[in-house]
Amino acid sequence: MGHSGLNQIEKKAAFSLAAVFGLRMLGLFMILPVFAIYGEQLIGFSPIWVGLAIGAYGLTQALLQIPMGILSDKFGRKPVILGGLCIFLVGSIIAAMSETIYGVVVGRALQGMGAIASAVLALAADLTREEQRPKVMATIGMFIGLSFTLAMVAGPIVAESFGLSGLFWFTALLTIAAIFMIQFMVPFSVNKAPRGDNVALPEQLSHLIRHPQLFRLNLGVFILHMALTACFVTLPKQFVQAGLALEDHWQLYLPALLGSFFLMVPFMIFAIRKQKEKSMFAAAVLLLSVSLLFFWYLPSTLMTLSFLVVLFFTAFNYLEATMPSLLSRIAPAGQKGSVMGVYSSSQFIGAFTGGLLGGAIAANFGESMIFLVMSCFGLLWFIAATGMKSLQKSKSYSFSTTITCEQQADEIAEQLVLLPGVVEATLVHTEAVAYLKVDDKVADLANIKALLKP
């Protein structure tokens, strides 16, 4: 399967695209730990509008994520990514210049319209060999996690020094840096990865939405990000009321997030080694729900809040890190792009719903009720998670093939699934490509390649 490590193009693609993704997500996340407090200075302030400002980007992201991926297939990855970053830049500037909360909502919605995630991931796939692609995707995922941690720390510091508008101007500067990186550092695409495995195809979406196992994960990521954005409608205020000044919030977020990473890693290793992934996944969902319940039930002392933040982010980070892996293993062969499209849209709709619902609950029932309602949603997710099937160990591969006849493709597909270690095989004769899910410890890749090029 080629060299064991990344080549120069793959290394450059991995770190430059991960940095672009991270810079953009940093700009989106930095508002979370500060807006509930600084938003009070804006004309038109109300809890509902605060929730909308926090979650507005999620709605436009969800609506445009799949279309932007399809456009990148037609017009090229870089032009679509650069266009999306320019829209994101305009949204950041509008938010920075707004003195009303309505202007900030418009700016945040425009930020979401720069929905480049699917195009960035597709470009990463174009620039990497199949066997090296997981390393590149893992690098991008690591930078997203790092950007969230950095945003929780940097948001309060930047807002304290430069105000809310300064935070959005800082986001605009990060976006300009990302534009330069795409133009001058990211390699131009040197090969075209198979379409269905990396970009969402509209004709596959309705079937995948109804898939029982995928539905559980899509519901899960919806609830996870709904809970996150809803909690940040009130959480910064809780810290201030407990005696922690806003400019000192990073002193809580940094150790809490680092602590949550250290706590989740042993559980991930245990789940993989002992093949307890389903059990540990359900346990993490339960931990998320219980931590939210305790936010509502226990007195809001600084010590209690600090402990619960660690519990919440241990569960959050575990789920955020493991769900894409579970998703890729459940995804039908050759449909990973469409599966990820539905998953990403569910995530962003969750973020929008969380902001809107959190603001509505705070306005009508009090801010502490946000935690109770989100805990109930978490329990629904736990019930759904316990119904998940145990997963087979497998990796997804795509191969070129010389088969261009439908009858021959059907015959070869039947032969492939009889080979040891082949879980699933799909041949798309019109594109001369084969998608396989295999247990690579058992499967003989040489035999597979020989069958695909008769």
Side-chain angles (χ1 to χ4, degrees):
M1 290 298 293
H3 301 296
S4 59
L6 297 173
N7 61 32
Q8 283 301 112
I9 288 178
E10 288 165 338
K11 287 178 183 176
K12 194 174 182 181
F15 288 102
S16 56
L17 287 173
V20 167
F21 221 124
L23 288 172
R24 180 176 164 279
M25 296 311 291
L26 178 62
L28 279 173
F29 288 145
M30 283 176 69
I31 190 178
L32 286 180
V34 301
F35 195 76
I37 295 171
Y38 277 88
E40 294 178 354
Q41 302 169 6
L42 296 170
I43 298 168
F45 167 84
S46 74
I48 291 177
W49 281 100
V50 167
L52 272 173
I54 290 174
Y57 78 93
L59 179 63
T60 47
Q61 282 268 5
L63 293 174
L64 294 175
Q65 199 66 244
I66 292 171
M68 291 284 272
I70 295 169
L71 285 174
S72 78
D73 237 11
K74 187 172 183 179
F75 298 108
R77 311 296 189 211
K78 275 197 171 187
V80 169
I81 295 170
L82 287 169
L85 286 171
C86 288
I87 295 170
F88 188 90
L89 176 62
V90 171
S92 301
I93 292 171
I94 288 174
M97 297 178 68
S98 295
E99 295 182 358
T100 69
I101 199 161
Y102 317 117
V104 172
V105 170
V106 171
R108 290 282 285 175
L110 275 172
Q111 284 183 325
M113 289 178 70
I116 62 170
S118 56
V120 169
L121 294 176
L123 179 56
D126 290 347
L127 292 166
T128 53
R129 294 162 291 165
E130 175 69 38
E131 66 273 18
Q132 299 301 330
R133 204 165 295 152
K135 296 178 186 177
V136 175
M137 297 304 180
T139 303
I140 292 173
M142 180 182 71
F143 270 65
I144 293 172
L146 184 63
S147 70
F148 181 80
T149 303
L150 190 57
M152 293 296 102
V153 175
I157 295 172
V158 173
E160 173 64 22
S161 301
F162 304 103
L164 189 63
S165 62
L167 192 149
F168 286 116
W169 284 119
F170 184 67
T171 299
L173 288 175
L174 293 177
T175 310
I176 292 169
I179 290 171
F180 275 93
M181 291 187 76
I182 286 290
Q183 186 63 33
F184 300 109
M185 291 183 65
V186 175
F188 282 89
S189 181
V190 293
N191 70 294
K192 191 78 170 180
R195 181 169 172 250
D197 213 31
N198 297 298
V199 175
L201 304 180
E203 61 268 22
Q204 297 174 348
L205 300 182
S206 61
H207 162 69
L208 294 173
I209 290 169
R210 297 192 302 270
H211 189 293
Q213 296 295 94
L214 293 174
F215 176 79
R216 285 177 167 84
L217 288 176
N218 294 329
L219 173 69
V221 78
F222 171 87
I223 291 174
L224 185 66
H225 283 265
M226 177 175 66
L228 179 72
T229 51
C231 287
F232 274 99
V233 170
T234 182
L235 203 52
K237 292 182 182 179
Q238 304 270 341
F239 294 146
V240 171
Q241 289 167 7
L244 187 67
L246 182 61
E247 62 269 21
D248 296 328
H249 283 195
W250 68 271
Q251 297 175 13
L252 187 151
Y253 289 125
L254 183 58
L257 286 162
L258 291 176
S260 69
F261 280 118
F262 281 114
L263 284 171
M264 81 168 187
V265 169
F267 291 114
M268 290 181 71
I269 294 170
F270 172 81
I272 294 167
R273 286 184 178 174
K274 302 295 183 181
Q275 296 186 351
K276 298 284 187 182
E277 289 167 285
K278 177 187 168 184
S279 301
M280 291 305 300
F281 181 82
V285 176
L286 186 60
L287 177 61
L288 184 87
S289 182
V290 169
S291 67
L292 289 167
L293 184 64
F294 283 156
F295 269 119
W296 169 74
Y297 180 73
L298 295 177
S300 298
T301 65
L302 191 56
M303 186 68 72
T304 302
L305 289 171
S306 301
F307 175 70
L308 293 178
V309 166
V310 173
L311 288 186
F312 176 84
F313 278 112
T314 299
F316 179 90
N317 289 326
Y318 182 93
L319 294 165
E320 188 83 339
T322 54
M323 281 203 288
S325 172
L326 296 176
L327 197 77
S328 66
R329 287 160 62 184
I330 295 172
Q335 297 183 24
K336 192 161 57 182
S338 299
V339 167
M340 286 303 297
V342 176
Y343 178 83
S344 296
S345 294
S346 302
Q347 173 183 332
F348 290 122
I349 291 172
F352 169 72
T353 305
L356 184 62
L357 187 58
I361 293 169
N364 293 289
F365 304 103
E367 294 186 357
S368 65
M369 283 298 293
I370 293 173
F371 298 119
L372 180 60
V373 173
M374 293 302 126
S375 178
C376 292
F377 276 108
L379 286 173
L380 287 175
W381 181 15
F382 173 71
I383 293 167
T386 55
M388 286 178 65
K389 294 179 181 177
S390 297
L391 301 174
Q392 284 183 284
K393 282 195 170 182
S394 65
K395 285 186 179 179
S396 296
Y397 291 94
S398 56
F399 300 96
S400 60
T401 176
T402 57
I403 299 165
T404 55
C405 163
E406 183 176 359
Q407 182 180 351
Q408 189 183 19
D410 290 339
E411 292 172 0
I412 296 297
E414 288 180 11
Q415 293 178 46
L416 284 168
V417 294
L418 295 175
L419 292 176
V422 177
V423 177
E424 188 179 333
T426 302
L427 271 70
V428 186
H429 66 281
T430 54
E431 296 182 16
V433 65
Y435 302 104
L436 280 83
K437 294 179 77 171
V438 304
D439 181 344
D440 58 355
K441 292 183 179 177
V442 179
D444 187 332
L445 296 176
N447 282 348
I448 291 172
K449 288 181 176 180
L451 268 176
L452 291 171
K453 296 188 178 180

